[in-house]
Amino acid sequence: MKRNNLFFIIISFVSLSFINACKDVPHLTKKEVTKIGFIADSALIVSARKEASKIGIAILKKGGNAFDAMIATDLALAVSYPFAGNIGGGGFMVYRTADGKTGALDYREKAPLAATENMYLDADGSIIKNKSTLGALAVGVPGTLAGLFAVHEKYGSLSFSTLIQPAIDLAKKGVVITAKQAKRFQYFRKSFQKINKRSIFLDKNWKAGDTIKYFALAKTLERIRDEGRDAFYGGQIGQEMVDYLQKLGGIISIEDLKKYKAKWRDPIQFNYKDLTITSMTLPSSGGICMAQILKSIEPYDIKQYPHNSEKYIQLLTEAERRAYADRAHYLGDIDFVDVPIDSLTNRAYLKKRMSDFSWQEAGKSALISHGKITGYESEETTHYSIVDQYGNAVAVTTTLNGAYGSKVYVDNGGYFLNNEMDDFSAKPGSPNMFGLIGAKANAIAPEKRMLSSMSPTIVEQDGKLKMVLGSPGGATIITAVLQNILNVYEYDMRMQESVSQARFHHQWLPDLIKMEPDGFDSISLHKLTVKGYKIEEGNSVIIGKVDAILVLPNGQLEGGADPRGDDTAIGF
Ligand code: DON
């Protein structure tokens, strides 16, 4: 059997993970690659859980718009997908309104006021294991609720209580545990126990088919419904969270919560051939890296290289290597550091960056560091995509960072807190949990936002909406998203066919191509190895989990729900 045919059979059985940081669970059913996804005439939502897509669609059917649906879907994910859906984390939204205006919202977590540059180092300057990933000190000031209220204030058309109520009802009615979820609860049980005396996830050995009712979370959401944003950012819910964190040795204060604000930002927008791509700007590296990689490969006639073949993999790998080297050096929170975005995404600069690339042999990350910029002009997660019946499009990626974040579970409030602090560079040159290296630009400072890779993205062609997409997967988000743009644009794939393809990833350091196991043909892999590329297919890695929407030529919408998870497209 051909290896790429084997991909979906293997992916159905083996234990999968988004690299070590985001362990996922076995796919228990054997799935054929479905080429065509759910088709809707006017509105579509693709998210990590059926319950969440359904709730968002019900809001659209009530006459709500994509922004209303975003708020309802996000809160429904906080209930039904505690792995990554959250009120204790943060995220980014990229949108395009029906009249073609684009924009972005940053509700990324921030370092607490009491954070210091060396807070994860011991007296010898070495990183203290787990300090930035597990427990109270790993937590960044959460931004999710601030983000949802900011969206509502600017674009909401239904009342906030209408949008939050379905999540409250779902929490009370309970959510049926899927097989994948049951495995995850089992896998993380020990780390939940290590941090928390009690949590709903420890109440019993949850099995697939059981229903969990989230009464504490329902109460929290009711309070937010009744008292608004301030219930969290200064009020009782926030105070209880701060008290719990401080008991566990954390440093977030009520002052941190009172000062937190979500920020509207101009997204990164660039052209790839005749596509216009809009993606997240700093503090996410997503849009800048994607622009660098796609512009670097633009001069090549990609179509002549068969999909996922040796030359295609090589070209993308070399562009990725260079972009991630720049990421490590230059990128950080734009509110704190100058980042030469225009220079880094300039075509002449990128052409020069690619000039030492050779088809004959693998580049060496040890020899390819960040590029030289001449002068500065004045970087566990879930993604969902929405297109409403009015033509508005919303792409949102939200996260706790690792699976269930810091594992700190505010029992009284019924929610997990993030471990986003690990996205900072705790020490220059030392990898974080995604193996990403950082430098001064991404050093910790009070109130600074940690660099992200989350890349909610919108693609237009001929001035019209073409795709809405994004992914979880830490460092691999950027490469997962851009491979899907290329699948559709260069290889004429349908949306579902595209999200189901095997993916690969290179991030400069470590100097290897990470590949989903058994998704690539052995001849291409052999040729790459002969050229000197190191390939890692081990550890049952999966690269991203892409939920996307494609606008078909007749105006219908096709959902791409990634078969790597329980992801579901629903529409009308
Ligand atoms: O912001 C980031 O880039 C990371 N905190 C995202 C984490 C993630 O995607 C984990 N999921 N697999």
Side-chain angles (χ1 to χ4, degrees), residues 149 222-231 235-237:
F149 276 97
E222 279 172 342
R223 197 177 268 275
I224 291 162
R225 176 196 64 197
D226 300 340
E227 296 172 20
R229 181 191 187 281
D230 289 350
Q236 189 177 328
I237 298 170

Side-chain angles (χ1 to χ4, degrees), residues 18 22 108 380-381 401 420 423 434 452-454 472-474 477:
F18 294 131
C22 309
R108 178 75 162 165
E380 234 101 19
T381 305
N401 194 25
E420 221 73 59
D423 274 346
F434 298 106
S452 173
S453 303
M454 293 192 284
I477 293 172

Side-chain angles (χ1 to χ4, degrees), residues 421-441:
M421 290 296 284
D422 188 64
D423 274 346
F424 277 117
S425 173
K427 181 181 176 183
S430 288
N432 74 356
M433 71 158 110
F434 298 106
L436 288 166
I437 310 285
K440 191 80 190 154

Side-chain angles (χ1 to χ4, degrees), residues 10-188:
I10 302 278
I11 211 171
S12 303
F13 291 109
V14 291
S15 187
L16 303 171
S17 71
F18 294 131
I19 57 181
N20 296 334
C22 309
K23 289 267 189 290
D24 207 350
V25 291
H27 286 239
L28 300 175
T29 51
K30 200 173 188 171
K31 272 191 189 151
E32 290 304 319
V33 179
T34 314
K35 284 207 168 169
I36 297 181
F38 183 94
I39 307 280
D41 288 329
S42 26
L44 186 60
I45 298 183
V46 194
S47 84
R49 285 286 303 218
K50 184 167 70 199
E51 293 82 351
S53 299
K54 242 184 181 165
I55 281 176
I57 283 294
I59 291 295
L60 294 182
K61 283 193 171 161
K62 271 195 173 148
N65 61 31
F67 300 96
D68 294 317
M70 176 267 180
I71 295 164
T73 306
D74 209 281
L75 290 164
L77 283 167
V79 175
S80 58
Y81 195 60
F83 183 60
N86 66 82
I87 59 169
F92 300 113
M93 174 180 80
V94 169
Y95 67 87
R96 179 184 186 274
T97 55
D99 58 2
K101 274 199 210 78
T102 53
L105 180 68
D106 165 3
Y107 53 100
R108 178 75 162 165
E109 299 90 327
K110 281 180 152 193
L113 288 159
T116 57
E117 187 167 341
N118 296 331
M119 63 187 278
Y120 300 118
L121 305 184
D122 64 17
D124 300 329
S126 303
I127 295 215
I128 303 167
K129 198 164 176 255
N130 291 341
K131 205 171 174 186
S132 66
T133 56
L134 195 62
L137 276 175
V139 182
V141 182
T144 295
L145 287 166
L148 300 187
F149 276 97
V151 172
H152 188 252
E153 197 185 335
K154 190 159 174 181
Y155 286 116
S157 74
L158 303 179
S159 70
F160 199 86
S161 54
T162 305
L163 304 176
I164 199 171
Q165 194 59 43
I168 297 170
D169 297 342
L170 180 66
K172 286 184 183 165
K173 184 172 135 239
V175 183
V176 178
I177 297 172
T178 66
K180 294 187 175 77
Q181 219 173 357
K183 289 263 175 187
R184 286 197 288 259
F185 288 159
Q186 201 51 44
Y187 185 89
F188 289 104

Side-chain angles (χ1 to χ4, degrees), residues 155 196 327 474 495:
Y155 286 116
N196 309 281
R327 180 194 192 276
M495 200 66 260

